[in-house]
Amino acid sequence: MDNNKLAELLFPNVKDCSFYENKYKERDLKEDAQVTRFAPSPTGFLHIGGLFSALVSFLVAKKSGGKFFLRLEDTDQERKVVGADKLLVSVLQKFGLQFDEGLDSIGQEFGDYGPYVQSERMDIYKSYAKKLVEMGLAYPCFCGDEQAKELEEMQAKDNTEKRGYYGKYARCRNLTYAEIEEKINKGLPFAIRLKCQYKLGDRFKFKDKVKGEIEMDANINDAVILKSNGLPPYNLAHAVDDHLMRTTVVIRGEDWLSATSEHSQIFEALNFAPIPYAHLPQLEKMDGTSRRKLSKRKDPEADASLFFKQGYPKEAIIDYLMTLINSDFEIWRSKNRNVSYLDFDFKLNKVSKSGSLFDMVKLNDVSKNHIAYLSAEEVFNGIMGWANAYDQDFAKMIENNEEKLKGVLSIDRGGDKPRKDIAKYSEVKDVFGYMFDDIYYSYNLNNFEFDFEKYNADLIKEVANHYLSIYNENDDKQEWFNRIKENIEVIGFASDMKVYKANPENYKGSVADYTTIIRVLLTSKKNTPDLSSIISLLGKEEMQKRFNFALKLINNQQ
Ligand code: GLU
């Protein structure tokens, strides 16, 4: 068979590959600089697993002084979702993952190695498919659904060890030029298959940058590398694009691991220098007692943008993903608060080799820690930014209560052991709602509950009035507590907890009961940051108002 003639018949007007090899020059980067990419398929929202993978690729490029680019893998036109490309880019940008090349959030391409959208690269794929035909390493396949079904039946009957398009089952592999020409003249659609050079029993070995030495059965299938619609499946697109875009390490999900043999065969056939792979573990979640992959359909937390809606700071999400990426990140972070995660000595070979558990409890913990070490001003700005985007009524309330909110956020902040109250900004309304008069009054109207068994309405009223009578707005935290202790014995409360515990029957309650009553009346919560600070923020007048309001509710309820 004259391969050149066949190649010309199949691909009459395409450029020679040398055109592209010259156009996309080797990158001029320092030795060891890595070129990585994030290559999502625009099929919907950004999956948290996608963010995980983008983050690793970003780190590898940034830490080595290399380049990080975006490539949109949209060759599966049926799964393409309109607008998903812009959404992916804008969510990644919100997380601070900036591309050196690729697409911006309005869909404009930038960079010297484009097009960065695969559906715009059809001519390039054709050139390389043609080259393979010229080399006698690829051929047209006219099999359709009917032939695929026949093949399946035949292999079931033969009980073959492997199913697929190979050996004697690869019926189009040995078509003659005349047969091919005849089919083409009839207008029959054709795909292009790679002529696999491996046989049953051959093994494939490689060193994965995350998983280490890997060995598997070599692919023996004549893989389709160009579909009958002219678009390549992932395999050829990956090989051609990563070669021409001068990627130095292919970082991708472990769901691609089993296809690595097939992909390497395409690199081999095209004489491309092999590019090392790093297969990342998938993110999993607990489902009952077992673990399963985070599912795009079933698990709301699979959508990376959900975390913004819930008000997690982006740095907290990144910190959490970093703990999954390198397990020693957490210790590093505890010693290096308030510095960029990019300062961490990240190592690709320390990424966990098997599935990583995406655990919301742990995420909340990491996020609480992150927020705890921010300044009150930073937390305030975070809350405001979140509220402006997702809860405008609350944003207005914050504007009217700026000082009070900043005040409560400042309590016990800044030391070695800061308070850890909130994991996400959407919790502020609940956790610090009492700082907003609107929330305090409307919430209490419907929900006010007090521990009536322990404290009756008369006692509560007595404590409230007593406290108003001893209150001094100039007290600091210590003076505040001392003043309470010095004055409560006269109304029958124990100022010393030990004394109280020895003989509780001698008292109406302890100093802890006394402050609890005040705390709940003013905030409707049993736990709050330092009460004396909250009282100074509210002021005497508001305190009086709240006492009256709460006591009325209690009277109505008892
Ligand atoms: N488009 C592929 C995916 O979304 C990309 C895999 C890769 O990074 O090569 O799974």
Side-chain angles (χ1 to χ4, degrees):
M1 158 101 70
D2 181 341
N3 292 325
N4 287 328
K5 198 168 149 205
L6 176 61
E8 216 37 55
L9 174 70
L10 299 173
F11 301 104
N13 291 310
V14 304
K15 287 197 174 76
D16 190 80
C17 295
S18 58
F19 171 82
Y20 299 110
E21 297 294 331
N22 289 330
K23 178 172 178 194
Y24 303 111
K25 301 257 178 299
E26 288 290 340
R27 291 170 184 267
D28 185 18
L29 293 170
K30 72 174 172 54
E31 214 189 318
D32 293 338
Q34 301 296 320
V35 179
T36 63
R37 82 291 193 280
F38 180 51
S41 302
T43 55
F45 57 72
L46 176 66
H47 191 283
I48 190 79
L51 178 62
F52 178 82
S53 158
L55 179 58
V56 175
S57 304
F58 178 70
L59 279 167
V60 170
K62 290 291 136 192
K63 298 292 286 183
S64 65
K67 297 275 180 214
F68 172 56
F69 68 85
L70 174 84
R71 182 173 68 230
L72 209 62
E73 305 214 324
D74 64 342
T75 57
D76 192 344
Q77 296 284 315
E78 276 157 30
R79 290 177 57 228
K80 200 165 161 174
V81 171
V82 180
D85 47 352
K86 295 185 190 82
L87 181 72
L88 286 166
V89 175
S90 72
V91 176
L92 285 163
Q93 278 178 350
K94 277 197 201 164
F95 279 105
L97 304 189
Q98 295 290 351
F99 297 106
D100 297 305
E101 298 160 20
L103 286 180
D104 64 18
S105 55
I106 54 163
Q108 294 287 335
E109 294 196 34
F110 60 102
D112 295 338
Y113 290 80
Y116 294 90
V117 177
Q118 286 185 332
S119 58
E120 294 166 18
R121 300 173 63 80
M122 301 213 353
D123 290 348
I124 306 181
Y125 304 127
K126 279 195 185 129
S127 292
Y128 284 88
K130 181 175 185 181
K131 180 175 171 188
L132 288 169
V133 176
E134 282 165 0
M135 291 192 291
L137 293 174
Y139 61 90
C141 170
F142 298 87
C143 294
D145 291 348
E146 204 178 300
Q147 288 77 10
K149 209 163 151 245
E150 271 172 35
L151 174 70
E152 219 175 277
E153 284 164 7
M154 212 191 297
Q155 291 187 337
K157 208 167 111 222
D158 293 354
N159 200 13
T160 51
E161 195 182 324
K162 289 229 180 200
R163 304 287 155 105
Y165 205 90
Y166 64 91
K168 68 171 182 181
Y169 302 107
R171 57 201 283 175
C172 291
R173 190 171 178 155
N174 298 314
L175 292 177
T176 62
Y177 182 85
E179 286 167 325
I180 294 171
E181 193 176 33
E182 190 195 325
K183 287 177 191 291
I184 288 189
N185 287 341
K186 272 196 209 153
L188 291 185
F190 62 90
I192 300 290
R193 286 185 187 268
L194 187 75
K195 235 179 229 175
C196 181
Q197 307 296 310
Y198 294 82
K199 56 179 192 322
L200 201 61
D202 285 347
R203 303 284 288 164
F204 169 68
K205 288 187 201 164
F206 75 104
K207 191 160 189 286
D208 188 273
K209 288 207 171 270
V210 168
K211 294 186 178 277
E213 299 291 344
I214 299 279
E215 188 175 343
M216 60 176 84
D217 280 345
N219 166 61
I220 57 163
N221 250 312
D222 284 357
V224 169
I225 53 169
L226 213 57
K227 294 183 282 185
S228 55
N229 62 5
L231 285 166
Y234 173 77
N235 56 14
L236 181 74
H238 148 51
V240 169
D241 292 350
D242 282 316
H243 168 72
L244 291 179
M245 294 176 174
R246 310 297 175 187
T247 304
T248 62
V249 49
V250 170
I251 298 169
R252 61 184 185 183
E254 68 183 347
D255 41 339
W256 290 110
L257 185 66
S258 58
T260 312
S261 165
E262 180 189 307
H263 299 163
S264 299
Q265 290 172 8
I266 300 177
F267 275 81
E268 206 170 270
L270 285 166
N271 277 321
F272 290 165
I275 305 175
Y277 287 100
H279 286 96
L280 300 176
Q282 61 184 15
L283 296 186
E284 297 173 342
K285 73 177 282 179
M286 291 307 290
D287 194 350
T289 50
S290 52
R291 283 163 78 138
R292 64 162 171 80
K293 191 177 169 181
L294 260 186
S295 142
K296 209 165 179 165
R297 275 172 297 112
K298 283 193 254 172
D299 306 313
E301 70 270 36
D303 179 355
S305 62
L306 176 98
F307 298 98
F308 288 124
K309 290 190 195 118
Q310 296 195 339
Y312 286 95
K314 65 170 192 286
E315 295 84 359
I317 303 295
I318 299 273
D319 266 20
Y320 176 58
L321 292 178
M322 289 300 294
T323 65
L324 298 181
I325 290 171
N326 274 183
S327 57
D328 51 349
F329 178 81
E330 206 174 352
I331 295 183
W332 176 86
R333 174 54 90 204
S334 67
K335 295 182 189 141
N336 297 277
R337 299 280 173 201
N338 297 324
V339 298
S340 165
Y341 68 99
L342 288 168
D343 292 350
F344 171 71
D345 188 17
F346 155 83
K347 292 271 184 305
L348 193 53
N349 61 8
K350 283 196 292 176
V351 172
S352 128
K353 293 188 191 346
S354 54
S356 288
L357 193 62
F358 190 83
D359 176 4
M360 292 299 285
V361 176
K362 182 77 190 160
L363 165 66
N364 283 336
D365 191 47
V366 168
S367 192
K368 273 189 179 169
N369 262 307
H370 170 76
I371 295 176
Y373 286 95
L374 296 177
S375 68
E377 189 74 24
E378 285 169 320
V379 183
F380 178 85
N381 291 340
I383 299 168
M384 197 66 210
W386 171 81
N388 272 328
Y390 300 104
D391 188 345
Q392 269 126 34
D393 290 344
F394 188 43
K396 278 202 200 87
M397 265 187 228
I398 299 175
E399 263 168 37
N400 297 332
N401 293 276
E402 186 170 333
E403 289 318 310
K404 277 195 202 157
L405 180 57
K406 281 187 181 161
V408 78
L409 293 171
S410 304
I411 303 174
D412 293 337
R413 187 172 289 277
D416 282 350
K417 283 205 159 69
R419 289 186 61 86
K420 294 174 186 170
D421 310 278
I422 48 167
K424 46 188 174 183
Y425 298 135
S426 56
E427 286 174 351
V428 169
K429 227 171 165 170
D430 178 38
V431 176
F432 298 125
Y434 52 81
M435 281 287 120
F436 304 88
D437 297 349
D438 285 353
I439 297 179
Y440 171 85
Y441 292 107
S442 62
Y443 173 84
N444 281 337
L445 269 182
N446 303 315
N447 302 286
F448 197 77
E449 271 177 36
F450 210 69
D451 195 345
F452 292 124
E453 271 181 32
K454 210 164 169 196
Y455 317 112
N456 65 38
D458 288 341
L459 182 75
I460 296 166
K461 197 170 174 182
E462 188 181 0
V463 169
N465 287 333
H466 177 259
Y467 180 67
L468 281 174
S469 72
I470 63 166
Y471 174 70
N472 182 334
E473 62 183 15
N474 299 320
D475 284 348
D476 66 16
K477 209 164 151 177
Q478 198 52 50
E479 287 161 349
W480 175 86
F481 196 47
N482 289 343
R483 186 180 303 280
I484 290 177
K485 287 207 285 194
E486 282 157 16
N487 286 286
I488 57 175
E489 296 275 346
V490 292
I491 60 158
F493 277 80
S495 58
D496 185 318
M497 286 310 285
K498 272 199 210 119
V499 175
Y500 175 71
K501 278 189 185 142
N503 292 94
E505 67 286 356
N506 292 347
Y507 297 95
K508 290 179 185 163
S510 69
V511 62
D513 293 316
Y514 185 95
T515 51
T516 297
I517 289 172
I518 309 231
R519 189 187 309 273
V520 177
L521 289 178
L522 294 177
T523 67
S524 352
K525 291 200 178 294
K526 287 202 174 134
N527 291 308
T528 66
D530 173 57
L531 183 57
S532 71
S533 311
I534 292 175
I535 293 172
S536 344
L537 287 166
L538 292 174
K540 186 164 183 184
E541 203 181 312
E542 178 59 22
M543 174 162 65
Q544 242 160 345
K545 233 172 110 188
R546 288 192 181 192
F547 280 164
N548 291 339
F549 174 81
L551 285 165
K552 219 182 264 165
L553 290 177
I554 293 170
N555 273 329
N556 291 345
Q557 283 176 15
Q558 277 195 337

